[in-house]
Amino acid sequence: MLTLDHLTVTYGATAAVDDVSLELPAGQVLAVLGPSGCGKSTLLRAVAGLERPRAGRIRFGGQDVTTTATHRRGFALMFQDGQLFPHLSVAGNVGYSLRLRRTSRAERRDRVAELLGLVGLPDYAERMPGTLSGGERQRVALARALAVRPRLLLLDEPLSALDRDLRERLAADLHDILRAEGTTALLVTHDHDEAFTVADRIGVMREGRLVQEGTPAEVWRHPADADTARFLGYAAVVAGAAAVPLLSAAGLRAGAAGGLALRRSALRLSVGGPLTGKVHSVRTTAEQTRVVVDLPDSGRLDAVAGLDVAVRPGDVVRLGVDPSRVALLPVVSGAGTSEGPGPAWPQA
Ligand code: ADP
Ligand code: MG
């Protein structure tokens, strides 16, 4: 198991990683999710031994490895651009570290074949990196990183260079491959879909700090704060008094919540619904009608309606709130109602 204990890494006067503590049990995949510049790569590089922490400890399997040389940690790294050796074949790349370890030729051939099968490229052994697509290159890079069965696999935005379709498919494959190998992995990414698809646990990082840690379901259902909710892809956050009618319409107890985050489809036009609003604009997509509504107490919010519902700007409509598409946000001490009943701020 990997344990980070109050880890801080600084560049000059600024802390890129600021007092981060976390635990990653053996065999699990932890994704640290956060916006660009929040310190993800620095965290990963410190775990790899490529940055020296200013303070705190890194332990693995009960051993303190804080000052252990990179190559003695037994960890493997994989980056956004797999960085294959261009002059080696796919088999040469995947088997590279096995050759360094003087693994026998037969053993190496078997392991390379096993890994290429695992990453879905069984017939690619003789291909050269220059002839591969971006997705294929990342699969080869993953096979290469897994070849020596690292104690810990460190992945820095492994799918970010790929286009969306490929990224989604490869994220699902990455999940299955890491499970099949029983790999303990720490992945950092700015892409919440990638994090939620691949990981057993999610950490949310902002400005060098770990602001939340939990299972994907916990993080999704209970974001630590408004910024986290927006970062996770909730379309709007409504706080204070403006949240009360929405909470009540969702059948949720307002008492403990400082506000709520809404998915784009949380509000739905429904005859006899508990809320009344005025239609601001209407847009039709292939699957549903997207409506922007003004609610007297909660401001301007997104809503959806069935394709059979005909509404126009200016119409007064009734709406309901789907409680499975909202998340309650904790009360922020001192800032609870300061935002007042003003408008919700829809995500750009
Ligand atoms: P992320 O991977 O989340 O995008 P990084 O860990 O790369 O973030 O960077 C975190 C912060 O540390 C940023 O403000 C970045 O500018 C700064 N930083 C990263 N590497 C260096 C470096 N080698 N020297 C100085 N500042 C750095
Ligand atoms: Mg980075």
Side-chain angles (χ1 to χ4, degrees):
M1 124 136 71
L2 173 72
T3 308
L4 305 186
D5 194 10
H6 297 287
L7 196 71
T8 295
V9 184
T10 54
Y11 295 116
T14 53
V17 173
D18 190 359
D19 197 26
V20 167
S21 297
L22 60 79
E23 284 190 354
L24 169 55
Q28 291 206 1
V29 179
L30 169 69
V32 171
L33 174 65
S36 174
C38 74
K40 302 182 297 294
S41 293
T42 306
L43 178 73
L44 211 64
R45 290 170 55 80
V47 173
L50 300 167
E51 301 284 350
R52 177 161 288 236
R54 158 67 61 91
R57 312 307 301 173
I58 302 166
R59 284 182 245 284
F60 192 88
Q63 273 182 317
D64 190 323
V65 298
T66 314
T67 57
T68 304
T70 298
H71 66 280
R72 294 193 184 281
R73 294 188 187 198
F75 303 166
L77 266 163
M78 179 180 160
F79 297 101
Q80 184 172 334
D81 50 342
Q83 297 175 334
L84 301 179
F85 304 119
H87 57 287
L88 292 181
S89 68
V90 165
N93 268 279
V94 175
Y96 183 78
S97 44
L98 295 172
R99 213 167 74 191
L100 289 186
R101 292 190 175 192
R102 306 187 181 283
T103 309
S104 77
R105 184 181 288 259
E107 221 177 297
R108 204 162 72 219
R109 199 187 47 226
D110 289 351
R111 177 71 175 147
V112 168
E114 179 190 16
L115 285 161
L116 289 179
L118 188 68
V119 300
L121 301 174
D123 303 323
Y124 278 59
E126 302 312 319
R127 292 275 289 272
M128 297 304 285
T131 71
L132 304 178
S133 71
E136 289 165 348
R137 273 201 292 275
Q138 285 307 76
R139 288 175 191 271
V140 174
L142 178 63
R144 184 180 61 180
L146 291 170
V148 293
R149 297 193 169 85
R151 303 201 293 166
L152 176 66
L153 178 61
L154 303 169
L155 303 140
D156 193 344
E157 312 251 6
L159 309 178
S160 294
L162 309 173
D163 59 43
R164 176 151 285 283
D165 270 5
L166 191 54
R167 189 157 73 228
E168 279 173 15
R169 238 180 316 133
L170 214 50
D173 285 357
L174 181 57
H175 170 275
D176 296 345
I177 291 164
L178 295 177
R179 291 303 172 295
E181 283 278 299
T183 309
T184 309
L186 174 60
L187 175 149
V188 302
T189 180
H190 71 277
D191 183 309
H192 50 81
D193 287 332
E194 186 175 317
F196 279 85
T197 305
V198 176
D200 301 300
R201 297 190 73 80
I202 305 259
V204 181
M205 198 169 173
R206 195 162 63 233
E207 293 173 1
R209 292 184 158 265
L210 195 71
V211 294
Q212 185 167 13
E213 209 265 331
T215 65
E218 284 162 4
V219 172
W220 183 249
R221 291 295 291 159
H222 302 286
D225 52 35
D227 283 340
T228 302
R230 287 194 201 89
F231 186 70
L232 294 177
Y234 281 92
V237 171
V238 184
V244 174
L246 297 170
L247 287 164
S248 147
L252 298 166
R253 269 168 30 88
L260 80 173
L262 299 116
R263 293 176 70 170
R264 205 170 284 284
S265 52
L267 282 167
R268 176 171 278 277
L269 271 61
S270 72
V271 178
L275 297 169
T276 302
K278 194 170 185 178
V279 175
H280 170 75
S281 62
V282 181
R283 190 166 63 85
T284 304
T285 70
E287 282 164 24
Q288 56 194 353
T289 305
R290 295 192 175 281
V291 185
V292 177
V293 289
D294 289 314
L295 301 179
D297 299 315
S298 307
R300 184 165 290 175
L301 291 168
D302 291 308
V304 294
L307 283 172
D308 54 332
V309 178
V311 284
R312 289 186 314 198
D315 287 354
V316 172
V317 294
R318 305 296 288 269
L319 305 108
V321 180
D322 178 348
S324 72
R325 290 166 189 274
V326 303
L328 299 185
L329 297 175
V331 178
V332 182
S333 57
T337 54
S338 64
E339 277 147 348
W345 40 108
Q347 186 87 317

